[in-house]
Amino acid sequence: MTANTDLAAQTPTSPAPEPAYDRGRLLAWMAEHEIAQTTHDHPAVFRVEEGLELKAALPGVHTKNLFLKDKKGRLWLISAAQDTVIDLKRAHRAMGSDRLSFGNETLLWETLCVRPGSVTALGLINDTDRRVTFVLDQRLWEADIVNFHPLTNTATTALSQNDFRKVLALLERQPIVVDFDALD
């Protein structure tokens, strides 16, 4: 064993910091701010295609959420209707960003305090440094009810449009609204 390897073996790894908000604290925050929501528990869902049957029974528009990084290092969160096609080669122009690629798990945890598969607009509650720019699909901006994971992929939280906008206002977040269906 070399000195470097020996030192690495003795250095404890620090655990990931506790997020300011997890599912329970998020839902309590919503209750405290009189944000009406309905949360449905379900088996873990990691991709849109996996949850189609369970989502069919839940009203509203269901989402897919992409955590991205652009060429200049800016972080982006796109929330879109689950069936919206997002062409990253064209979307960056409409968003005002440079070329986009997926952000890594470390950045995702540092900013939104969620793991892959649990990416959600509600994670913006943990982005107190405002490192992530929020982009919202026009279809979600116009939907009566929107559904997001409550910081975990084992549940879905439904919000009316008014309550979703109240969440954004309380978080002082103004999304960039993009009509992904109209991109050329």
Side-chain angles (χ1 to χ4, degrees):
M1 187 180 282
T2 67
N4 286 345
T5 307
D6 190 35
L7 179 62
Q10 294 175 15
T11 305
T13 58
S14 58
E18 177 85 10
Y21 289 89
D22 60 10
R23 174 191 165 157
R25 289 189 290 265
L26 169 69
L27 296 180
W29 178 86
M30 287 183 179
E32 176 185 325
H33 289 92
E34 299 180 351
I35 296 167
Q37 56 80 25
T38 303
T39 297
H40 302 274
D41 292 308
H42 52 69
V45 176
F46 292 92
R47 294 183 327 233
V48 169
E49 301 79 27
E50 291 177 5
L52 293 178
E53 306 91 41
L54 68 95
K55 291 176 187 176
L58 303 176
V61 177
H62 294 273
T63 59
K64 66 177 164 189
N65 298 273
L66 306 176
F67 180 70
L68 306 164
K69 183 177 179 180
D70 73 15
K71 187 178 173 185
K72 293 182 180 176
R74 287 180 59 195
L75 302 177
W76 301 84
L77 172 64
I78 297 176
S79 291
Q82 71 181 0
D83 59 346
T84 298
V85 175
I86 300 174
D87 180 350
L88 296 181
K89 292 179 182 175
R90 295 185 311 160
H92 71 92
R93 288 186 294 276
M95 296 165 38
S97 75
D98 241 344
R99 285 191 318 242
L100 296 162
S101 60
F102 287 95
N104 67 41
E105 185 174 351
T106 301
L107 279 173
L108 177 60
W109 182 258
E110 286 175 3
T111 55
L112 303 180
C113 298
V114 295
R115 300 288 181 208
S118 297
V119 180
T120 173
L122 299 177
L124 292 169
I125 197 168
N126 285 316
D127 183 26
T128 56
D129 293 334
R130 306 237 186 298
R131 291 175 60 192
V132 179
T133 301
F134 183 45
V135 178
L136 188 67
D137 182 3
Q138 180 76 37
R139 290 172 55 202
L140 291 182
W141 190 244
E142 296 171 351
D144 292 333
I145 298 172
V146 292
N147 292 279
F148 294 98
H149 288 309
L151 308 179
T152 178
N153 64 354
T154 58
T156 296
T157 296
L159 298 161
S160 71
Q161 186 60 237
N162 287 340
D163 283 309
F164 177 55
R165 290 186 188 195
K166 185 175 180 180
V167 167
L168 294 177
L170 287 166
L171 298 178
E172 299 177 355
R173 294 298 188 120
Q174 181 64 41
I176 298 169
V177 179
V178 174
D179 184 352
F180 289 101
D181 293 331
L183 294 183
D184 48 307

